[in-house]
Amino acid sequence: MAFIIDGKKISAEIKDELRIKVTKLNEEGVNITLAVVQVGNDPASSVYVGNKKKACEYIGIHSLSYELPEQTTQEELLALVERLNSDPEVNGILVQLPLPSHIDEDLVIQTISPAKDVDGFHPQSVGALSIGQKGFVSCTPAGVIELLKRSGIEIEGKECVIIGRSNIVGKPMALLMLRENATVTVCHSRTKNLNEVAKRADILIVAIGKPLFVNKDFVKEGAVIIDVGMHRNANNKLCGDVDFENVLEHASAITPVPGGVGPMTIAMLMNNCVESAVRKN
Ligand code: GUN
């Protein structure tokens, strides 16, 4: 029976550590501000944005909220980002994705100053990660590393298989696991014999975006399984990319959905905001 990795508890510990750090920074006269920009009112995005603002409030980070209408033009959004870039009070800029289809997402991300890119999505941040230089790291993969480390799971020398190659999770996840000296394989929808490749893993990280995709046929006995997926099943219940019940007996540790990787993303975003203010000062 696998040990269940409690992302809610670990993220709460991180937020409490950050809260103490921010109180000290405030006493030294350093205040931290995150600008959160949402275009349109996609209900899922509104929930995410709301949770980010709540976390800011808990930790003592000031949040500026920009809720722009769906019809906002690309030029208007870029002008706002430029304004936030040059505002010395703003330490972090978060533009919630996805953006409406008439706006070029890549262009918006590239316009955010790398010094304020707390999502870690800017090409300069991604490039820095790939060559081992300092820069902001995408929050979900950074959260996975924290989950593993704080659960006492050794990474060095382990076989790590990542299923999924997105810019936000799969690719930066591979770079981070390499940085931690794992042997890394990245699989995706075109990988042949995917389950056989997955079975090599000591640590299996699943971010393919397909509900309940991974079952026991993908899991080596005793593997650690990290589930980055988040979906609603036919009964409106949350589930991940992994069939939790099916693999539970075969894994040595596993993250649940909800309460695994999800809460870590916000904790790492808060960490990046604090880091941004510390670097500036
Ligand atoms: N949409 C879904 N996840 C994220 C995230 O981590 N950051 C941003 N900016 N948008 C998202």
Side-chain angles (χ1 to χ4, degrees), residues 26 49 57 66 82 89 102 119 123 126 138 148 153 167 174 181 194-195 224 235-236 275:
N26 288 163
V49 163
E57 195 175 338
Y66 296 87
E82 298 278 16
E89 298 296 318
H102 64 276
D119 257 329
V126 179
S138 180
L148 292 169
I153 294 162
N167 290 339
N181 300 313
L194 207 159
N195 69 313
V224 172
N235 304 322
N236 209 31
E275 184 65 28

Side-chain angles (χ1 to χ4, degrees), residues 48 52 94-98 119 121 139-140 168 265:
Y48 291 134
K52 289 169 188 178
L94 183 141
V95 179
Q96 186 66 25
L97 305 179
D119 257 329
F121 294 168
C139 302
T140 300
I168 292 180
T265 300

Side-chain angles (χ1 to χ4, degrees), residues 17-277:
E17 290 164 17
L18 289 171
R19 190 172 145 119
I20 293 167
K21 200 165 171 180
V22 170
T23 305
K24 282 199 189 119
L25 284 167
N26 288 163
E27 284 165 7
E28 293 163 15
V30 178
N31 293 307
I32 308 174
T33 299
L34 171 67
V36 181
V37 182
Q38 184 182 356
V39 184
N41 41 22
D42 172 62
S45 289
S46 298
V47 172
Y48 291 134
V49 163
N51 288 338
K52 289 169 188 178
K53 289 193 277 197
K54 249 191 266 171
C56 280
E57 195 175 338
Y58 180 75
I59 288 165
I61 295 173
H62 184 215
S63 67
L64 298 174
S65 190
Y66 296 87
E67 286 160 25
L68 309 180
E70 181 83 20
Q71 321 80 277
T72 302
T73 65
Q74 179 168 290
E75 287 63 36
E76 285 167 330
L77 180 57
L78 292 176
L80 172 62
V81 170
E82 298 278 16
R83 190 148 59 76
L84 296 169
N85 279 343
S86 51
D87 184 340
E89 298 296 318
V90 173
N91 303 100
I93 302 170
L94 183 141
V95 179
Q96 186 66 25
L97 305 179
L99 289 167
S101 57
H102 64 276
I103 298 179
D104 180 346
E105 230 165 62
D106 287 340
L107 182 59
V108 174
I109 291 169
Q110 282 169 39
T111 305
I112 296 172
S113 161
K116 300 186 180 187
D117 174 36
V118 286
D119 257 329
F121 294 168
H122 193 285
Q124 188 175 312
S125 308
V126 179
L129 172 64
S130 74
I131 56 171
Q133 292 184 353
K134 251 186 155 6
F136 291 112
V137 177
S138 180
C139 302
T140 300
V144 170
I145 298 286
E146 269 313 294
L147 268 185
L148 292 169
K149 287 188 173 173
R150 288 178 184 245
S151 304
I153 294 162
E154 204 175 64
I155 303 174
E156 182 159 321
K158 294 291 173 66
E159 285 281 348
C160 173
V161 175
I162 298 163
I163 307 182
R165 56 173 161 180
S166 71
N167 290 339
I168 292 180
V169 183
K171 284 181 198 152
M173 193 71 252
L175 293 168
L176 282 174
M177 290 303 275
L178 263 183
R179 194 164 87 178
E180 299 294 333
N181 300 313
T183 302
V184 180
T185 304
V186 182
C187 305
H188 44 80
S189 55
R190 313 270 175 91
T191 299
K192 295 213 166 64
N193 302 320
L194 207 159
N195 69 313
E196 289 303 325
V197 181
K199 262 188 167 160
R200 292 186 209 151
D202 301 311
I203 302 172
L204 179 61
I205 302 175
V206 191
I208 190 142
K210 293 181 183 165
L212 312 180
F213 182 79
V214 164
N215 58 36
K216 62 179 165 43
D217 298 336
F218 291 67
V219 177
K220 179 170 80 177
E221 203 65 33
V224 172
I225 305 177
I226 305 291
D227 188 351
V228 183
M230 173 77 87
H231 315 275
R232 282 199 186 272
N233 68 13
N235 304 322
N236 209 31
K237 229 183 119 212
L238 289 172
C239 70
D241 288 351
V242 177
D243 187 341
F244 184 88
E245 303 298 339
N246 189 269
V247 302
L248 198 56
E249 295 296 328
H250 302 271
S252 64
I254 184 168
T255 59
V257 177
V261 173
M264 294 300 290
T265 300
I266 293 186
M268 300 320 288
L269 173 70
M270 298 296 107
N271 186 60
N272 281 349
C273 292
V274 175
E275 184 65 28
S276 175

